[in-house]
Amino acid sequence: MKIIIINGPNLNLLGKREPEIYGGKTFESYFGDLQSKFKDLELEYYQSNIEGELIDKIQEVGFTYDGIILNAAAYTHTSVGLGDAVKAVNTPVVEVHISNTYKREAFRHKSYISSCSKGVILGFGLKSYELAIWSFL
C-alpha cells in the first residue's frame, strides 16, 4: 500500500513555530516514527509552501497511490483550487490538521477540502497523521 502525506505552508517549521499549538517535534522526526510503526506500508512525505506545487503533487499521485493525507494548512481555508484538485483525482484523501481548527480563529472554521475528502481528522496533534493512516487500512 502506497500512502503520501502532503503538507502545506509553514509546516516545514514544526518544532519551531508556535510549539504551544503544534508541539516541539519536527515533522521529519515524526515521519521517521511513522515509517518505523508502519513498516509494511510505502509512506512518502511532501511539503511545499506554494499552492500550485501542492496541486501539482495531488494530480501527480492522485491516480496511482492508495491514499493521500493532506494537511493544506492555511490553504485549507482559502484554496478553491486545492479542493478542486482533491475532487479531480481517484485516490481517497483524508484531510488532517494538528490543531482543532474549530477552537481557533473563525476563518479557520471553513474548509474547501472537507466536502471532497474521505474524512477529516483534527485536533490530535501529530497523532492526527497516524489516525489518518489507520483510516486506509
Side-chain angles (χ1 to χ4, degrees):
M1 180 171 274
K2 197 170 189 177
I3 297 172
I4 187 167
I5 295 170
I6 300 176
N7 276 343
N10 301 309
L11 291 170
N12 56 308
L13 297 177
L14 287 177
K16 298 176 187 172
R17 175 187 176 218
E18 299 176 277
E20 67 282 1
I21 295 173
Y22 301 107
K25 193 169 198 169
T26 67
F27 193 82
E28 290 74 15
S29 172
Y30 179 68
F31 185 67
D33 296 344
L34 288 175
Q35 288 177 307
S36 295
K37 186 168 194 157
F38 295 99
K39 291 181 188 203
D40 294 336
L41 300 179
E42 192 174 335
L43 290 177
E44 293 182 25
Y45 166 57
Y46 177 80
Q47 190 277 329
S48 178
N49 293 317
I50 301 169
E51 182 179 16
E53 290 179 0
L54 296 170
I55 292 168
D56 287 344
K57 182 55 80 172
I58 291 167
Q59 291 176 359
E60 175 189 325
V61 303
F63 297 95
T64 56
Y65 283 49
D66 299 297
I68 298 171
I69 297 168
L70 176 61
N71 184 343
Y75 290 138
T76 301
H77 321 293
T78 62
S79 179
V80 173
L82 276 169
D84 285 348
V86 170
K87 283 184 211 172
V89 299
N90 296 334
T91 299
V93 175
V94 173
E95 178 185 349
V96 163
H97 297 283
I98 296 166
S99 68
N100 179 350
T101 56
Y102 292 98
K103 289 179 97 176
R104 299 185 64 195
E105 304 93 337
F107 75 86
R108 295 186 195 275
H109 301 178
K110 170 71 176 159
S111 170
Y112 287 97
I113 297 164
S114 296
S115 65
C116 41
S117 295
K118 172 184 175 180
V120 180
I121 300 170
L122 53 90
F124 294 98
L126 290 174
K127 183 105 173 151
S128 297
Y129 292 94
E130 181 181 339
L131 296 170
I133 292 169
W134 282 111
S135 76
F136 292 111
L137 302 180

